[in-house]
Amino acid sequence: MTEGNFVDYVKLHLFSGNGGKGSVHLHREKYIDKGGPDGGDGGRGGHIVLRANSNLWTLFHLKMKRHVKAGHGAHGGSSRSTGADGEDMYIDVPLGTVVRDTETEEILYELTENGQEIIIAEGGKGGRGNWHFKSSTNQTPRYAQPGIPGCQVDVTLELKVLADVGLVGFPNAGKSTLLSVLTAAKPKIADYEFTTLKPNLGIVKYRDFRTFVMADIPGIIEGAAEGKGIGHRFLRHIERNSTLLFLIPADADDIVKQYYILLDELRRYNPEMLDKQRFIAVSKSDMLDDELKEEISAEIDEGIGLPFLFISSVAQQGLTELKDKLWAMLQ
């Protein structure tokens, strides 16, 4: 998937179908002059249904289709025949999609299971035909119910990436490089900040044909939770990761300080982030000698107290151990 094809936020205007009118019909056939009312009911208007689809990874297919209309119900006919229901419209979305009311921003639904279906806009009910209204005092009613109009719903779809491990780090920390080495993903990599503008997903192959999913989230900067930079737009993608891998480059001015800045941004965005499992990988460590590694190890032990590992994506150092550690945490 190319970076430009990753769309994780769309606004949709939905119009469900109108119900069909009930029929006003009096039965007539040879030898039966006054057969009485036999007008059928109108058909139901079409629903608009959201359906979770595990084969989708993005909302890109909805980018150019902002208005969705369902079919109208057909009118009732003679001989009590009911009009056909309007055609339902199905909108497939990836797992992890959150549905919000565009006006109030209230969360209406979350779709997390493959095949899960939610009627987001109900079609109008069909009107009843005149045969429903006959009585001993009104044997030939010449009226029927009109169909109920469909509804208009404005919703915002947000995608929260479903991944096992989320990569957290400052811009240019080496997240994309690590993802490209551990998985078959091909994220954009360059030597400047904010190379990654959209989340990237990759499947990490582990022993005995086991796999887990890793997500590279655009770099977080200080103040991201308040809306600075671009990282704040993608903090929601970390919410559903069970394990957070903090990637801090070995050439950082202060590794402990960087970790706590990242952690604070996550806390300010959503305090529940701190309940997730955390692991630290010191990237670009092929430039370190044993003495520097001992010095950094002491800093992390004393200042953070989390498990950590020295890795180098370029030199392929520590990557097998990293997969072992992540797999153990996921289990």
Side-chain angles (χ1 to χ4, degrees), residues 120-317:
I120 192 73
E122 282 196 19
K125 291 182 179 179
R128 294 194 295 175
N130 67 337
W131 76 274
H132 285 282
F133 302 104
K134 67 181 180 180
S135 67
S136 58
T137 57
N138 185 10
Q139 296 185 354
T140 55
R142 299 178 185 274
Y143 53 84
Q145 284 181 329
I148 296 176
C151 59
Q152 178 180 338
V153 179
D154 292 334
V155 294
T156 300
L157 303 185
E158 291 181 358
L159 176 60
K160 292 182 181 179
V161 165
L162 290 173
D164 300 304
V165 179
L167 289 170
V168 182
F170 281 97
N172 214 18
K175 301 188 298 298
S176 297
T177 306
L178 177 62
L179 189 76
S180 69
V181 171
L182 290 182
T183 75
K186 296 290 181 282
K188 183 180 177 184
I189 300 169
D191 190 22
Y192 56 85
E193 295 187 352
F194 295 123
T195 312
T196 302
L197 300 177
K198 302 286 175 72
N200 290 298
L201 288 178
I203 297 175
V204 181
K205 292 182 179 177
Y206 191 60
R207 298 188 179 98
D208 302 324
F209 303 103
R210 292 173 292 187
T211 61
F212 59 90
V213 180
M214 182 177 282
D216 165 26
I217 310 300
I220 299 170
I221 64 168
E222 197 168 1
E226 276 72 51
K228 292 184 181 177
I230 61 167
H232 74 287
R233 288 172 50 200
F234 305 108
L235 283 170
R236 68 173 177 270
H237 291 302
I238 308 173
E239 286 187 62
R240 291 219 173 100
N241 304 155
S242 59
T243 299
L244 299 179
L245 175 60
F246 287 79
L247 204 63
I248 304 174
D251 56 359
D253 294 337
D254 188 331
I255 288 177
V256 174
K257 183 181 178 183
Q258 274 208 15
Y259 168 77
Y260 281 111
I261 290 173
L262 292 168
L263 193 66
D264 189 52
E265 292 304 322
L266 297 183
R267 179 191 60 77
R268 282 152 70 184
Y269 176 74
N270 183 351
E272 292 181 8
M273 298 275 204
L274 304 191
D275 297 335
K276 297 181 183 296
Q277 299 182 96
R278 285 169 262 158
F279 189 77
I280 296 173
V282 181
S283 63
K284 307 177 184 179
S285 59
D286 52 315
M287 62 178 71
L288 301 176
D289 57 23
D290 292 340
E291 187 178 339
L292 281 170
K293 284 184 178 178
E294 286 180 19
E295 196 176 305
I296 291 172
S297 298
E299 284 179 23
I300 295 174
D301 284 334
E302 186 178 339
I304 301 175
L306 279 180
F308 64 93
L309 197 64
F310 291 100
I311 67 166
S312 170
S313 303
V314 175
Q316 303 273 311
Q317 294 176 4

Side-chain angles (χ1 to χ4, degrees), residues 75-96:
H75 303 321
S78 59
S79 302
R80 298 188 186 181
S81 60
T82 302
D85 290 343
E87 182 184 0
D88 294 336
M89 289 297 291
Y90 286 85
I91 302 174
D92 284 342
V93 296
L95 304 188

Side-chain angles (χ1 to χ4, degrees), residues 41-54:
D41 301 342
R44 167 184 64 77
H47 298 320
I48 295 182
V49 184
L50 291 180
R51 179 169 56 193
N53 186 337
S54 60

Side-chain angles (χ1 to χ4, degrees), residues 108-127:
L108 304 176
Y109 308 102
E110 297 191 31
L111 292 95
T112 55
E113 297 178 14
N114 187 42
Q116 181 182 355
E117 293 185 1
I118 291 169
I119 298 176
I120 192 73
E122 282 196 19
K125 291 182 179 179

Side-chain angles (χ1 to χ4, degrees), residues 10-31:
V10 293
K11 290 184 178 180
L12 297 178
H13 307 284
L14 311 176
F15 304 87
S16 63
N18 299 330
K21 292 190 298 187
S23 171
V24 179
H25 189 269
L26 300 175
H27 183 66
R28 295 287 181 269
E29 75 177 275
K30 196 173 182 182
Y31 308 123

